[in-house]
Amino acid sequence: MKRIDLHVHSNKSDGTLSPSEVAKLAHAQGLCAIALTDHDTIAGIKECQETGEKFGLEVIPGIELSADYHGKEIHILGLYLDLSNPILHKTLKAFVEAREKRNQEMLAKFQALGFDITEEDLGPRDQLSIIARPHFARAMMNKGYANSMDEVFEKYITPGKPAYVQKAAPTFKTCIDLIHQVGGKAILAHPYIYKFVNQNPLPMLDELRYNGLDGVEVIYPKHYEPETHRLTQYCKSHNLIITGGSDFHGDNKPNLQIGCGYGKTEVPYELLEQFVKA
């Protein structure tokens, strides 16, 4: 079966592999297409596409946007973006600036807690790359303040913990409209991992669909088979695009592999063919 992965991250956001390395790994794993969907940035897409071309790997220009859903955070994937659109670049610049403000506040909180963490410890970056919570977690681990990244998240950087700062996020409607403005399709990422949906994301999907959502990430490593089936039936009933992906982050998500998740997640190429027709 020809396989794809429509949810992949590089070190331009919170992955650990460069965009070029992501493309090489995807090819080595036998994938025929991926979507690079870094958080709030498209900085790595060109590099990933150029490497992909050398191996016959299709690289779909994508992004993962954090969106506010009635006070809760959800993630919306944008796929097949027009990278030349000036609206996209202007908006993402504002997103990066908002993230930078949050990062400075989190850094100050860590320092106030007595940890010797500086901007340099968060890692090298260019103007369009982003720094996210995994960078803080890895810095804490590298400095010997924690044994694992999970430990840092659990103790310091989840809601209610002492170094956490709420991220300023645009509304879900704003994100969907932006993706449409720049030629893309808006896909809700991993519906079943949002704890606030109480294992029933369908009411949320109804509202998002009424506001222009194009599709749903149905196939995902943390979706159980009954959940995948339920989402598939929902998408077919409402003429929504079905996608799937691993949410690959390199070493920041140990044991989760590109193209297969924890070993059993496979996204068939025929879904991409159906996507293109849609």
PDB file of all heavy atoms in Angstrom, residues 9 12 17 35 40 59 99 101 108 130 147 176-177 182 222-223 226 242 250 266 272:
ATOM      1  N   HIS A   9       6.219  17.475  11.764  1.00  0.00           N
ATOM      2  CA  HIS A   9       6.877  18.686  12.259  1.00  0.00           C
ATOM      3  C   HIS A   9       8.393  18.609  12.105  1.00  0.00           C
ATOM      4  O   HIS A   9       8.982  17.525  12.177  1.00  0.00           O
ATOM      5  CB  HIS A   9       6.545  18.905  13.732  1.00  0.00           C
ATOM      6  CG  HIS A   9       5.099  19.174  13.977  1.00  0.00           C
ATOM      7  ND1 HIS A   9       4.537  20.419  13.852  1.00  0.00           N
ATOM      8  CD2 HIS A   9       4.088  18.336  14.304  1.00  0.00           C
ATOM      9  CE1 HIS A   9       3.249  20.351  14.112  1.00  0.00           C
ATOM     10  NE2 HIS A   9       2.941  19.087  14.383  1.00  0.00           N
ATOM     11  N   LYS A  12      11.804  23.687  12.644  1.00  0.00           N
ATOM     12  CA  LYS A  12      11.354  25.065  12.470  1.00  0.00           C
ATOM     13  C   LYS A  12      10.251  25.400  13.462  1.00  0.00           C
ATOM     14  O   LYS A  12       9.926  26.569  13.663  1.00  0.00           O
ATOM     15  CB  LYS A  12      10.884  25.304  11.034  1.00  0.00           C
ATOM     16  CG  LYS A  12      11.967  25.176   9.983  1.00  0.00           C
ATOM     17  CD  LYS A  12      13.086  26.180  10.190  1.00  0.00           C
ATOM     18  CE  LYS A  12      14.141  26.071   9.102  1.00  0.00           C
ATOM     19  NZ  LYS A  12      15.252  27.045   9.289  1.00  0.00           N
ATOM     20  N   LEU A  17      14.181  17.304  13.896  1.00  0.00           N
ATOM     21  CA  LEU A  17      14.885  17.115  12.629  1.00  0.00           C
ATOM     22  C   LEU A  17      14.696  18.338  11.734  1.00  0.00           C
ATOM     23  O   LEU A  17      13.638  18.973  11.759  1.00  0.00           O
ATOM     24  CB  LEU A  17      14.374  15.875  11.898  1.00  0.00           C
ATOM     25  CG  LEU A  17      14.553  14.518  12.576  1.00  0.00           C
ATOM     26  CD1 LEU A  17      14.089  13.410  11.637  1.00  0.00           C
ATOM     27  CD2 LEU A  17      15.993  14.297  12.991  1.00  0.00           C
ATOM     28  N   ALA A  35       2.905  16.044   4.500  1.00  0.00           N
ATOM     29  CA  ALA A  35       2.616  17.464   4.665  1.00  0.00           C
ATOM     30  C   ALA A  35       3.449  17.968   5.823  1.00  0.00           C
ATOM     31  O   ALA A  35       3.371  17.414   6.930  1.00  0.00           O
ATOM     32  CB  ALA A  35       1.133  17.699   4.931  1.00  0.00           C
ATOM     33  N   ASP A  40       2.452  27.351  13.380  1.00  0.00           N
ATOM     34  CA  ASP A  40       2.446  28.797  13.138  1.00  0.00           C
ATOM     35  C   ASP A  40       3.577  29.288  12.232  1.00  0.00           C
ATOM     36  O   ASP A  40       3.897  30.483  12.248  1.00  0.00           O
ATOM     37  CB  ASP A  40       2.511  29.569  14.471  1.00  0.00           C
ATOM     38  CG  ASP A  40       1.279  29.340  15.326  1.00  0.00           C
ATOM     39  OD1 ASP A  40       0.271  28.832  14.806  1.00  0.00           O
ATOM     40  OD2 ASP A  40       1.327  29.667  16.531  1.00  0.00           O
ATOM     41  N   VAL A  59       5.847  16.890  -1.142  1.00  0.00           N
ATOM     42  CA  VAL A  59       5.757  17.614   0.122  1.00  0.00           C
ATOM     43  C   VAL A  59       4.681  18.687  -0.004  1.00  0.00           C
ATOM     44  O   VAL A  59       4.830  19.648  -0.757  1.00  0.00           O
ATOM     45  CB  VAL A  59       7.103  18.248   0.520  1.00  0.00           C
ATOM     46  CG1 VAL A  59       6.949  19.048   1.821  1.00  0.00           C
ATOM     47  CG2 VAL A  59       8.179  17.178   0.694  1.00  0.00           C
ATOM     48  N   ARG A  99       3.929  34.658  20.038  1.00  0.00           N
ATOM     49  CA  ARG A  99       4.630  33.553  20.689  1.00  0.00           C
ATOM     50  C   ARG A  99       5.868  34.055  21.423  1.00  0.00           C
ATOM     51  O   ARG A  99       6.199  33.584  22.516  1.00  0.00           O
ATOM     52  CB  ARG A  99       5.023  32.494  19.654  1.00  0.00           C
ATOM     53  CG  ARG A  99       3.926  31.497  19.326  1.00  0.00           C
ATOM     54  CD  ARG A  99       4.476  30.423  18.397  1.00  0.00           C
ATOM     55  NE  ARG A  99       3.521  29.369  18.144  1.00  0.00           N
ATOM     56  CZ  ARG A  99       3.386  28.279  18.891  1.00  0.00           C
ATOM     57  NH1 ARG A  99       4.148  28.122  19.959  1.00  0.00           N
ATOM     58  NH2 ARG A  99       2.502  27.348  18.584  1.00  0.00           N
ATOM     59  N   LYS A 101       6.370  36.923  22.795  1.00  0.00           N
ATOM     60  CA  LYS A 101       5.950  37.576  24.035  1.00  0.00           C
ATOM     61  C   LYS A 101       5.673  36.522  25.114  1.00  0.00           C
ATOM     62  O   LYS A 101       6.093  36.656  26.260  1.00  0.00           O
ATOM     63  CB  LYS A 101       4.707  38.423  23.791  1.00  0.00           C
ATOM     64  CG  LYS A 101       4.205  39.182  25.015  1.00  0.00           C
ATOM     65  CD  LYS A 101       3.033  40.068  24.637  1.00  0.00           C
ATOM     66  CE  LYS A 101       2.546  40.874  25.850  1.00  0.00           C
ATOM     67  NZ  LYS A 101       1.993  40.022  26.910  1.00  0.00           N
ATOM     68  N   ALA A 108      10.864  34.214  32.115  1.00  0.00           N
ATOM     69  CA  ALA A 108      10.938  34.961  33.368  1.00  0.00           C
ATOM     70  C   ALA A 108      10.401  34.130  34.536  1.00  0.00           C
ATOM     71  O   ALA A 108      10.939  34.196  35.656  1.00  0.00           O
ATOM     72  CB  ALA A 108      10.161  36.272  33.238  1.00  0.00           C
ATOM     73  N   ILE A 130       9.886  29.109  15.249  1.00  0.00           N
ATOM     74  CA  ILE A 130       9.213  29.422  16.504  1.00  0.00           C
ATOM     75  C   ILE A 130       9.813  28.617  17.656  1.00  0.00           C
ATOM     76  O   ILE A 130      10.366  27.540  17.461  1.00  0.00           O
ATOM     77  CB  ILE A 130       7.689  29.188  16.407  1.00  0.00           C
ATOM     78  CG1 ILE A 130       7.378  27.701  16.222  1.00  0.00           C
ATOM     79  CG2 ILE A 130       7.071  30.014  15.308  1.00  0.00           C
ATOM     80  CD1 ILE A 130       6.624  27.094  17.338  1.00  0.00           C
ATOM     81  N   ASN A 147      14.606  14.870  34.530  1.00  0.00           N
ATOM     82  CA  ASN A 147      15.053  13.622  33.904  1.00  0.00           C
ATOM     83  C   ASN A 147      14.395  13.364  32.551  1.00  0.00           C
ATOM     84  O   ASN A 147      14.866  12.535  31.785  1.00  0.00           O
ATOM     85  CB  ASN A 147      14.755  12.445  34.838  1.00  0.00           C
ATOM     86  CG  ASN A 147      15.575  12.506  36.109  1.00  0.00           C
ATOM     87  OD1 ASN A 147      16.758  12.833  36.074  1.00  0.00           O
ATOM     88  ND2 ASN A 147      14.939  12.216  37.240  1.00  0.00           N
ATOM     89  N   ILE A 176      -9.713  29.334  10.299  1.00  0.00           N
ATOM     90  CA  ILE A 176     -10.328  28.714   9.125  1.00  0.00           C
ATOM     91  C   ILE A 176     -10.364  29.704   7.970  1.00  0.00           C
ATOM     92  O   ILE A 176     -10.018  29.370   6.822  1.00  0.00           O
ATOM     93  CB  ILE A 176     -11.744  28.208   9.470  1.00  0.00           C
ATOM     94  CG1 ILE A 176     -11.661  27.020  10.426  1.00  0.00           C
ATOM     95  CG2 ILE A 176     -12.503  27.812   8.197  1.00  0.00           C
ATOM     96  CD1 ILE A 176     -13.000  26.586  10.993  1.00  0.00           C
ATOM     97  N   ASP A 177     -10.761  30.941   8.260  1.00  0.00           N
ATOM     98  CA  ASP A 177     -10.842  31.960   7.206  1.00  0.00           C
ATOM     99  C   ASP A 177      -9.468  32.266   6.625  1.00  0.00           C
ATOM    100  O   ASP A 177      -9.326  32.448   5.400  1.00  0.00           O
ATOM    101  CB  ASP A 177     -11.468  33.241   7.752  1.00  0.00           C
ATOM    102  CG  ASP A 177     -12.964  33.097   8.026  1.00  0.00           C
ATOM    103  OD1 ASP A 177     -13.562  32.096   7.559  1.00  0.00           O
ATOM    104  OD2 ASP A 177     -13.526  33.978   8.703  1.00  0.00           O
ATOM    105  N   VAL A 182      -5.721  31.911   1.860  1.00  0.00           N
ATOM    106  CA  VAL A 182      -4.435  31.619   1.229  1.00  0.00           C
ATOM    107  C   VAL A 182      -4.491  30.296   0.457  1.00  0.00           C
ATOM    108  O   VAL A 182      -3.472  29.643   0.257  1.00  0.00           O
ATOM    109  CB  VAL A 182      -3.294  31.622   2.263  1.00  0.00           C
ATOM    110  CG1 VAL A 182      -3.206  33.003   2.924  1.00  0.00           C
ATOM    111  CG2 VAL A 182      -3.481  30.562   3.326  1.00  0.00           C
ATOM    112  N   LYS A 222      -3.259   8.282  18.422  1.00  0.00           N
ATOM    113  CA  LYS A 222      -3.964   8.163  19.693  1.00  0.00           C
ATOM    114  C   LYS A 222      -5.477   7.995  19.518  1.00  0.00           C
ATOM    115  O   LYS A 222      -6.212   8.044  20.507  1.00  0.00           O
ATOM    116  CB  LYS A 222      -3.656   9.368  20.582  1.00  0.00           C
ATOM    117  CG  LYS A 222      -2.212   9.392  21.067  1.00  0.00           C
ATOM    118  CD  LYS A 222      -1.975  10.504  22.074  1.00  0.00           C
ATOM    119  CE  LYS A 222      -0.539  10.461  22.597  1.00  0.00           C
ATOM    120  NZ  LYS A 222      -0.279  11.539  23.585  1.00  0.00           N
ATOM    121  N   HIS A 223      -5.924   7.794  18.297  1.00  0.00           N
ATOM    122  CA  HIS A 223      -7.332   7.480  18.068  1.00  0.00           C
ATOM    123  C   HIS A 223      -7.509   5.967  18.078  1.00  0.00           C
ATOM    124  O   HIS A 223      -6.804   5.243  17.363  1.00  0.00           O
ATOM    125  CB  HIS A 223      -7.804   8.017  16.711  1.00  0.00           C
ATOM    126  CG  HIS A 223      -8.008   9.496  16.690  1.00  0.00           C
ATOM    127  ND1 HIS A 223      -8.303  10.191  15.537  1.00  0.00           N
ATOM    128  CD2 HIS A 223      -7.965  10.430  17.687  1.00  0.00           C
ATOM    129  CE1 HIS A 223      -8.432  11.472  15.818  1.00  0.00           C
ATOM    130  NE2 HIS A 223      -8.229  11.637  17.109  1.00  0.00           N
ATOM    131  N   PRO A 226     -12.633   2.363  17.259  1.00  0.00           N
ATOM    132  CA  PRO A 226     -14.022   2.845  17.249  1.00  0.00           C
ATOM    133  C   PRO A 226     -14.111   4.358  16.995  1.00  0.00           C
ATOM    134  O   PRO A 226     -15.058   4.827  16.355  1.00  0.00           O
ATOM    135  CB  PRO A 226     -14.542   2.483  18.637  1.00  0.00           C
ATOM    136  CG  PRO A 226     -13.658   1.386  19.106  1.00  0.00           C
ATOM    137  CD  PRO A 226     -12.307   1.690  18.537  1.00  0.00           C
ATOM    138  N   ILE A 242     -11.291  13.499   4.616  1.00  0.00           N
ATOM    139  CA  ILE A 242     -10.672  12.627   5.615  1.00  0.00           C
ATOM    140  C   ILE A 242      -9.160  12.667   5.427  1.00  0.00           C
ATOM    141  O   ILE A 242      -8.652  12.418   4.330  1.00  0.00           O
ATOM    142  CB  ILE A 242     -11.175  11.181   5.472  1.00  0.00           C
ATOM    143  CG1 ILE A 242     -12.673  11.105   5.776  1.00  0.00           C
ATOM    144  CG2 ILE A 242     -10.403  10.239   6.401  1.00  0.00           C
ATOM    145  CD1 ILE A 242     -13.283   9.744   5.483  1.00  0.00           C
ATOM    146  N   GLY A 250      10.068  13.929  15.841  1.00  0.00           N
ATOM    147  CA  GLY A 250      11.433  13.495  16.114  1.00  0.00           C
ATOM    148  C   GLY A 250      11.593  13.070  17.564  1.00  0.00           C
ATOM    149  O   GLY A 250      10.695  12.473  18.156  1.00  0.00           O
ATOM    150  N   GLU A 266      -1.380   3.873   9.729  1.00  0.00           N
ATOM    151  CA  GLU A 266      -1.058   3.930   8.300  1.00  0.00           C
ATOM    152  C   GLU A 266      -2.130   4.725   7.573  1.00  0.00           C
ATOM    153  O   GLU A 266      -3.324   4.468   7.726  1.00  0.00           O
ATOM    154  CB  GLU A 266      -0.948   2.525   7.717  1.00  0.00           C
ATOM    155  CG  GLU A 266       0.255   1.744   8.233  1.00  0.00           C
ATOM    156  CD  GLU A 266       0.502   0.471   7.437  1.00  0.00           C
ATOM    157  OE1 GLU A 266      -0.443  -0.007   6.788  1.00  0.00           O
ATOM    158  OE2 GLU A 266       1.635  -0.031   7.464  1.00  0.00           O
ATOM    159  N   LEU A 272      -5.260  10.923  -0.123  1.00  0.00           N
ATOM    160  CA  LEU A 272      -4.728  12.130  -0.755  1.00  0.00           C
ATOM    161  C   LEU A 272      -5.363  12.320  -2.133  1.00  0.00           C
ATOM    162  O   LEU A 272      -5.667  13.459  -2.531  1.00  0.00           O
ATOM    163  CB  LEU A 272      -3.211  12.046  -0.872  1.00  0.00           C
ATOM    164  CG  LEU A 272      -2.510  13.308  -1.354  1.00  0.00           C
ATOM    165  CD1 LEU A 272      -2.792  14.483  -0.426  1.00  0.00           C
ATOM    166  CD2 LEU A 272      -0.993  13.075  -1.453  1.00  0.00           C
TER     167      LEU A 272
END
